[in-house]
Amino acid sequence: PEGAVVRYMPTNYSRGTSPKIATDPDAAFGYAPRVSGMDRVEMTLTHADITPDTWTMYHLGIIQVMPSPSIIYFSNLSWMTHLLVGEKLYMPESPTNDNLYDVYVSLKFSGEQFGGTGPTQVLCDQIILVRQMALTP
């Protein structure tokens, strides 16, 4: 339904010498934050699930957004690349709103570690949240 889909770009608050943003003409907005503290792929992703050097949409599943601090982040080693989803989407529950969202992330894995080219990095150009319609009693 109209208004059920929202798109956000995560923020990268990392410190250090590597740039926080990478330009990429194929990204949804032409650039994307780098995932800080990149460690290993979690969830149910394996290397077989990764198409290197290509933007791919991954399904995270349904979450219930809670008031702040409700955060989507991308690495076990760092929360620096994240989206404060509670601040953006939480609304008091009602018969038509139970704060359930189906979440997808668009990621690009590059570098030798992932079977790709260029520098080893993970980029996230968008997080897509699809509001689930509450079942009225």
Side-chain angles (χ1 to χ4, degrees), residues 46-97:
T46 66
H47 280 278
D49 298 318
I50 295 171
T51 303
D53 302 324
T54 302
W55 287 101
T56 305
M57 195 67 64
Y58 295 96
H59 182 233
L60 295 183
I62 295 178
I63 64 168
Q64 184 169 27
V65 173
M66 306 303 281
S68 282
S70 188
I71 301 172
I72 295 173
Y73 63 96
F74 293 89
S75 171
N76 285 334
L77 297 179
S78 171
W79 55 267
M80 297 301 265
T81 307
H82 66 273
L83 174 67
L84 297 172
V85 70
E87 285 183 11
K88 300 196 178 291
L89 294 178
Y90 178 79
M91 294 175 46
E93 290 188 23
S94 71
T96 59
N97 175 41

Side-chain angles (χ1 to χ4, degrees), residues 12 14-21 34-37 121:
N12 183 323
S14 65
R15 298 181 186 101
T17 57
S18 64
K20 296 177 183 179
I21 299 290
R34 294 181 197 277
V35 172
S36 293
Q121 63 184 357

